[in-house]
Amino acid sequence: MGLYTVIDQRAFKVLRSVATDFEPFAPIDAASHNRIQLDGKKLGVDGLEASYRIINKWMGRVYVYTWKWSLPDDSVQSDVVIKCKYSGKMGSRVAQFVSRQDSALLQRLNRDQEILALCNAIDYEAIELRYSREERRWHVEMKPNYGDFIWILFPPVRYARKPKQQEMDDTMRLVKRLAQKIKQTIK
């Protein structure tokens, strides 16, 4: 058993602990190494998953907390990537969705004041909506500013930040609202 195996196990405990906090919104279905599968039916999504994206650093690792979910859609004719970008200075940043392809969903997202307010309420490293024409499915990935686990060998540091109640509420409201916007586009 190597050093990273022990650290990975600690990170998974943090991942499970954070995901457990979200059980009032979406009960845990299954847990496996580096991945927690939740029941997203109440939120209107398929395959709600909490996981870590691991970034290896010199003498350490960063485990980036990531939400993933998807929805079927056969109304879009080509692959689409929509990302949430922020402009402005810290404390007064403003969210906007951007894409190289114009789409009805992109326009709806940028007109929805609730979605934009929720994106501004939590500092997200990234929010990406990706449509795969081959799969006929939207895949959404959200990386919030909570739940990460940081481990550094020297100086020895271990750090994890659990979400506050308001962050949990806002995250789940955003998941639900994004799903509603995607479903409106399907009709």
Side-chain angles (χ1 to χ4, degrees):
M1 180 173 359
L3 176 64
Y4 284 123
T5 304
V6 172
I7 302 306
D8 288 346
Q9 289 171 349
R10 287 183 181 166
F12 182 72
K13 286 180 184 177
V14 171
L15 176 70
R16 184 166 182 91
S17 174
V18 172
T20 300
D21 289 345
F22 285 90
E23 281 201 291
F25 303 99
I28 293 177
D29 278 344
S32 62
H33 179 70
N34 203 29
R35 192 168 260 98
I36 308 286
Q37 193 69 39
L38 296 101
D39 182 355
K41 289 183 188 118
K42 287 195 315 191
L43 300 169
V45 300
D46 296 342
L48 181 62
E49 176 184 290
S51 63
Y52 277 139
R53 183 177 55 103
I54 300 171
I55 301 172
N56 288 312
K57 300 281 188 181
W58 186 73
M59 306 233 352
R61 276 189 166 177
V62 176
Y63 298 77
V64 179
Y65 193 87
T66 305
W67 286 108
K68 295 179 186 177
W69 51 273
S70 67
L71 281 174
D73 180 1
D74 58 4
S75 68
V76 181
Q77 300 305 314
S78 62
D79 291 348
V80 177
V81 177
I82 300 172
K83 295 181 179 184
C84 181
K85 296 286 183 183
Y86 293 92
S87 61
K89 295 181 181 179
M90 219 40 171
S92 63
R93 295 178 358 151
V94 178
Q96 178 183 14
F97 288 90
V98 297
S99 177
R100 291 186 178 172
Q101 308 92 345
D102 191 29
S103 69
L105 179 58
L106 176 65
Q107 294 169 15
R108 283 192 174 133
L109 293 173
N110 282 321
R111 284 192 305 252
D112 191 305
Q113 293 305 309
E114 182 181 359
I115 287 177
L116 296 174
L118 289 168
C119 290
N120 289 327
I122 297 176
D123 183 22
Y124 287 95
E125 178 186 324
I127 299 175
E128 183 175 283
L129 296 86
R130 182 177 297 272
Y131 181 76
S132 169
R133 178 70 181 138
E134 182 180 318
E135 295 177 54
R136 296 177 178 242
R137 183 170 283 279
W138 283 99
H139 296 276
V140 179
E141 189 171 285
M142 302 164 52
K143 296 175 186 161
N145 185 19
Y146 59 75
D148 295 352
F149 179 76
I150 298 167
W151 171 80
I152 300 171
L153 181 60
F154 186 78
V157 175
R158 273 190 326 216
Y159 176 76
R161 185 175 87 73
K162 293 189 75 159
K164 299 172 187 154
Q165 185 62 49
Q166 188 63 50
E167 291 173 317
M168 292 188 299
D169 294 343
D170 288 350
T171 299
M172 294 296 100
R173 281 180 45 219
L174 181 58
V175 168
K176 191 173 190 173
R177 190 77 176 150
L178 288 171
Q180 289 169 346
K181 286 298 171 186
I182 290 172
K183 290 175 183 176
Q184 284 177 359
T185 306
I186 296 170
K187 293 177 183 177

